[in-house]
Amino acid sequence: MTDPLPTGATIGILGGGQLGRMLSVAASRLGLKCHIFEPSENPPAGDVAHAVTTASYEDAEALREFAAHVDVITYEFENIPTAALDLLESLKPIRPNRRALATSQDRLTEKDFLGSLGLTPAPYADITDLASLEAALSDFGRPAILKTRRFGYDGKGQVRINADTDAADALAQMQAAPAVLEGFVDFTAEISIIGARSAGGQVVCYDPGMNVHKDGILHTTTVPAPIPASLKTDAVLLAGRILTSLDYIGVMGVELFVTKDGLIVNEIAPRVHNSGHWTQNGCTICQFEQHIRAVAGWPLGDGSRHSDVRMENLIGADMDRVPELAATGAALHLYGKAEVKAGRKMGHVNHLI
Ligand code: AMP
């Protein structure tokens, strides 16, 4: 491990959405600067970061110039083109590392990896054609969920196969993209655990939160999650195992299904996570500062929860409620997005409960 970055150093962030914005705010509190690389104009992170490069991930010259101005590189979304990462990695350290990214980018690789650690993903099968889909359906039964291996988020790239769904139609909806079939998990709750690992190998996990989705998008996260203490311990231990085996540096979100037989790992996200936003008002050191500390080579902060919190996402027209919410004691976090669109994450509010 190299020395911790001194104050005044610059962290490069690939992606300029709300996660990049909140990372930049956290970095600034520690006297560190953030430089955003983002293809679209006027990204949310641009309002608060030290510098912004507006260029495509195919622009090698812009990537080189960006790398020259930063000390370490991190990212706020997973789907960064491989060629851009190859180039950047030859110039500056990328944290979390490439293996963590590659593992989480592909649902099949991710599930194979989780299985290799002795953890339990949903039953799954690689789907290459109609015959493999039909074979997996007869194994798992219906309902089942067909998912693209890559580029899925907020429930996109998924088809639920019910008793009366035509398998060929479902496969056609994958538009020839590689896919996996998942057996349907009969869960009692969805929780997630946000964990962090420092360059020195120290691991800190936050209390698991219970997640409720609406229209495929996270709606609320509530901490403490109403689950037995033994499952909370299981969640912390499995997050620690994932972080350590990937030699991970930074914050990771792990989504879990709670079932009568224990925890099933749904997916891992190699970045700060929407279900960890409650930490901004429930902990002394939030997930954004924790990530910045890790990638800067600093020791991690205390992740213990001092308050119970319900985080509520503000999606699209929920922005109309901002004047009313602003008049309550709740903590508002707005992303400064100019255009309100249906399904777009515009902000969130942390209610202390
Ligand atoms: P994902 O994009 O994989 O996180 O899936 C989005 C949501 O779909 C999850 O949060 C669950 O509510 C639901 N879901 C995904 N996979 C399964 C599964 N194998 N069994 C039951 N529900 C699932």
Side-chain angles (χ1 to χ4, degrees):
M1 170 55 201
T2 46
D3 291 336
L5 290 184
T7 56
T10 303
I11 297 174
I13 303 179
L14 303 173
Q18 63 268 17
L19 300 180
R21 178 181 174 105
M22 293 183 275
L23 285 168
S24 300
V25 170
S28 72
R29 278 203 313 269
L30 298 178
L32 296 162
K33 297 182 171 123
C34 286
H35 185 146
I36 304 292
F37 191 102
E38 163 66 47
S40 56
E41 300 274 351
N42 303 319
D47 294 346
V48 297
H50 172 70
V52 183
T53 296
T54 309
S56 119
Y57 287 109
E58 273 75 53
D59 185 340
E61 198 37 54
L63 289 168
R64 265 193 214 97
E65 185 69 16
F66 166 75
H69 285 94
V70 305
D71 297 287
V72 62
I73 296 170
T74 188
Y75 44 88
E76 57 124 52
F77 80 119
E78 291 95 310
N79 295 320
I80 306 149
T82 308
L85 292 167
D86 288 341
L87 175 59
L88 291 172
E89 196 177 33
S90 70
L91 301 166
K92 289 286 154 69
I94 299 182
R95 294 176 180 155
N97 62 34
R98 291 292 295 282
R99 181 163 166 241
L101 248 187
T103 304
S104 63
Q105 273 173 341
D106 182 329
R107 290 187 194 272
L108 186 64
T109 316
E110 181 179 79
K111 289 176 197 303
D112 288 346
F113 163 72
L114 293 168
S116 76
L117 293 185
L119 307 179
T120 318
Y124 68 101
D126 183 15
I127 301 303
T128 48
D129 54 14
L130 187 56
S132 52
L133 177 57
E134 277 169 348
L137 280 169
S138 67
D139 258 16
F140 304 155
R142 297 178 183 225
I145 305 184
L146 187 61
K147 301 182 179 181
T148 53
R149 279 173 58 176
R150 294 172 63 94
F151 306 124
Y153 68 97
D154 286 346
K156 294 187 174 60
Q158 303 193 5
V159 189
R160 183 168 160 156
I161 303 186
N162 290 319
D164 56 354
T165 308
D166 183 65
D169 280 353
L171 191 60
Q173 288 185 53
M174 298 289 101
Q175 301 181 320
V180 289
L181 185 75
E182 281 184 25
F184 199 78
V185 177
D186 187 17
F187 57 77
T188 52
E190 291 188 71
I191 63 166
S192 53
I193 176 122
I194 309 296
R197 187 171 174 277
S198 71
Q202 176 194 13
V203 171
V204 171
C205 289
Y206 292 100
D207 212 1
M210 181 177 70
N211 299 325
V212 174
H213 296 85
K214 215 158 116 182
D215 303 325
I217 303 176
L218 183 67
H219 175 46
T220 57
T221 300
T222 306
V223 276
I227 57 169
S230 60
L231 285 184
K232 293 186 186 178
T233 306
D234 286 349
V236 169
L237 292 175
L238 73 82
R241 203 176 315 168
I242 296 170
L243 290 163
T244 303
S245 78
L246 289 170
D247 198 17
Y248 196 89
I249 300 176
V251 163
M252 170 184 277
V254 184
E255 295 179 17
L256 302 160
F257 296 134
V258 179
T259 75
K260 63 177 181 10
D261 303 318
L263 298 176
I264 286 186
V265 185
N266 176 25
E267 60 184 11
I268 59 182
R271 53 171 168 79
V272 285
H273 197 259
N274 194 168
S275 67
H277 291 0
W278 66 269
T279 60
Q280 291 169 308
N281 301 98
C283 303
T284 304
I285 308 295
C286 71
Q287 63 163 349
F288 300 99
E289 176 171 337
Q290 206 73 292
H291 186 76
I292 294 294
R293 282 171 171 254
V295 302
W298 289 28
L300 299 180
D302 178 8
S304 55
R305 176 174 53 81
H306 57 62
S307 301
D308 297 356
V309 186
R310 187 170 63 90
M311 186 289 306
E312 182 190 2
N313 266 339
L314 300 175
I315 313 276
D318 286 341
M319 283 301 278
D320 296 344
R321 292 172 43 217
V322 164
E324 165 207 325
L325 287 166
T328 70
L332 270 175
H333 299 262
L334 303 177
Y335 308 151
K337 295 182 183 177
E339 207 187 334
V340 178
K341 284 194 212 153
R344 189 173 202 204
K345 289 178 180 168
M346 304 300 297
H348 64 273
V349 54
N350 284 331
H351 306 270
L352 298 192
I353 51 179

